[in-house]
Amino acid sequence: MAPRPSAQGTVPFGECRTWYRVTGDLDCGRPPLVVVHGGPGSTHDYLLAVADLAEQGWPVVHYDQLGNGGSTHLPDRGAEFWTVPLFLVELDNLLRALGIADDYVLFGHSWGGLLAAKHASRRPAGLRGLVVADSPASYPLWRQEMKALRDALPPGVNETLLRHEAAGTTDSDEYKAAMMPFNERHVCRLKPWPREYLASYYELSNDPTVYFTMNGPSEFHVVGTLRDWSVEDCCPDIEVPTLVISGRYDEATPATVRPYAELIPDVRWEMFEESSHVPHLEEPERFQRVLAGFLGGLRE
């Protein structure tokens, strides 16, 4: 279980509120690690284990992006509202509100990795380092790789998925059941799924507005507004030291992750051999060592 938060609450974001949680002391003299969750439309819960770094003296900030979790929900807003710039502005607003915009490190997971990379490419003066975890650099690449992963599923599974996708019945129980072999291979290989992972899973299910709008009905059927988005063009503009993390069985396959390693000037790529999309849960001890080592290197 992650350490107890030292502070939590909400900060104003226009007419809305962004929920946050701080573990550790923001005034300890070390840059806080700000955790940007995936989805889009998930919550911070499945990444709570990152807060263990507070026990080693690194303050950690989690937050729920607008539309989910403890932040303001806006189920009636359409696709024109849910944009990448919205979430970039929300992140900037949070950093300023917490008084950490002049000294921080970003950890972005999955969709959060693309968002963090885009933020870093703007070269904010206070950013000290970047961690991109289990994140594709391009959704077109992601879609290409999804086809290969789906084709390798047990006989009949992909056919069931394709049938429901063509019919527009992706909310059916049969479609959801057919998703499970993929999720168990490429999203989280632990059995049973950890409580914190399930918490985010259920939160997203309770309000899928952002996920359905920007992503689509499932991890491997990206038909939302992000379907053609990429950060490959801005990776060369990232100046800070960058750690890239991915799992051997990750739905973010090596082909989708490689652009980060090839295009970011100061980058290191760590592959977790026993993990899929959540190495912080699947290989927690090695994850903590790698992340703590990276943060320690920033100080040096």
Side-chain angles (χ1 to χ4, degrees):
M1 181 175 295
R4 293 174 63 88
S6 55
Q8 62 183 36
T10 63
V11 299
F13 178 45
E15 298 179 353
C16 303
R17 310 286 300 187
T18 299
W19 181 92
Y20 72 91
R21 153 191 171 128
V22 177
T23 309
D25 181 5
L26 290 180
D27 297 320
C28 70
R30 290 182 170 185
L33 183 68
V34 179
V35 180
V36 187
H37 66 68
S42 186
T43 64
H44 76 285
D45 301 88
Y46 77 100
L47 290 165
L48 275 174
V50 180
D52 288 343
L53 284 163
E55 297 178 346
Q56 301 182 49
W58 297 97
V60 178
V61 177
H62 288 84
Y63 75 104
D64 285 336
Q65 294 161 26
L66 191 65
N68 291 90
S71 296
T72 304
H73 290 232
L74 299 162
D76 297 327
R77 299 295 176 95
E80 72 285 349
F81 179 80
W82 302 110
T83 64
V84 172
L86 170 75
F87 292 104
L88 288 170
V89 172
E90 182 187 30
L91 175 55
D92 288 339
N93 180 72
L94 178 73
L95 296 172
R96 289 192 301 269
L98 295 181
I100 58 175
D102 60 348
D103 191 31
Y104 64 100
V105 179
L106 275 189
F107 175 101
H109 181 265
S110 197
W111 136 263
L114 287 97
L115 194 67
K118 186 69 174 178
H119 174 94
S121 73
R122 298 178 174 183
R123 301 177 179 174
L127 182 64
R128 303 291 174 246
L130 173 67
V131 182
V132 176
D134 313 281
S135 174
S138 157
Y139 281 103
L141 273 178
W142 175 274
R143 295 202 313 276
Q144 291 174 22
E145 289 296 287
M146 283 301 111
K147 183 180 186 308
L149 294 179
R150 285 171 53 143
D151 287 345
L153 290 172
V157 173
N158 197 31
E159 289 75 10
T160 300
L161 295 170
L162 289 168
R163 175 162 47 83
H164 284 287
E165 288 162 3
T169 52
T170 55
D171 58 346
S172 69
D173 289 341
E174 187 179 35
Y175 184 82
K176 293 174 182 176
M179 286 168 54
M180 291 311 295
F182 178 93
N183 290 340
E184 290 171 350
R185 285 188 182 189
H186 302 297
V187 181
C188 182
R189 295 170 69 85
L190 298 176
K191 294 183 179 180
W193 282 350
R195 177 189 295 180
E196 56 267 44
Y197 182 84
L198 285 171
S200 286
Y201 186 86
Y202 291 134
E203 286 269 14
L204 191 153
S205 298
N206 288 338
D207 187 352
T209 303
V210 182
Y211 187 78
F212 283 0
T213 300
M214 298 183 74
N215 185 87
S218 65
E219 291 294 277
F220 39 72
H221 195 50
V222 181
V223 294
T225 56
L226 291 177
R227 68 185 311 274
D228 296 319
W229 189 51
S230 169
V231 294
E232 290 176 282
D233 61 330
C234 66
C235 282
D237 297 325
I238 297 173
E239 292 185 326
V240 296
T242 300
L243 170 66
V244 174
I245 288 172
S246 64
R248 177 62 63 188
Y249 306 100
D250 208 325
E251 60 178 345
T253 65
T256 71
V257 174
R258 189 167 293 113
Y260 293 115
E262 294 179 346
L263 297 172
I264 297 175
D266 184 0
V267 66
R268 179 174 115 230
W269 185 2
E270 289 279 347
M271 179 73 73
F272 285 71
E273 296 294 337
E274 304 301 322
S275 295
S276 57
H277 199 52
V278 284
H280 61 283
L281 297 176
E282 294 163 304
E283 295 181 68
E285 293 181 0
R286 182 177 174 224
F287 174 85
Q288 293 291 333
R289 286 197 307 272
V290 168
L291 203 50
F294 173 72
L295 293 172
L298 296 179
R299 287 175 59 82
E300 296 169 4

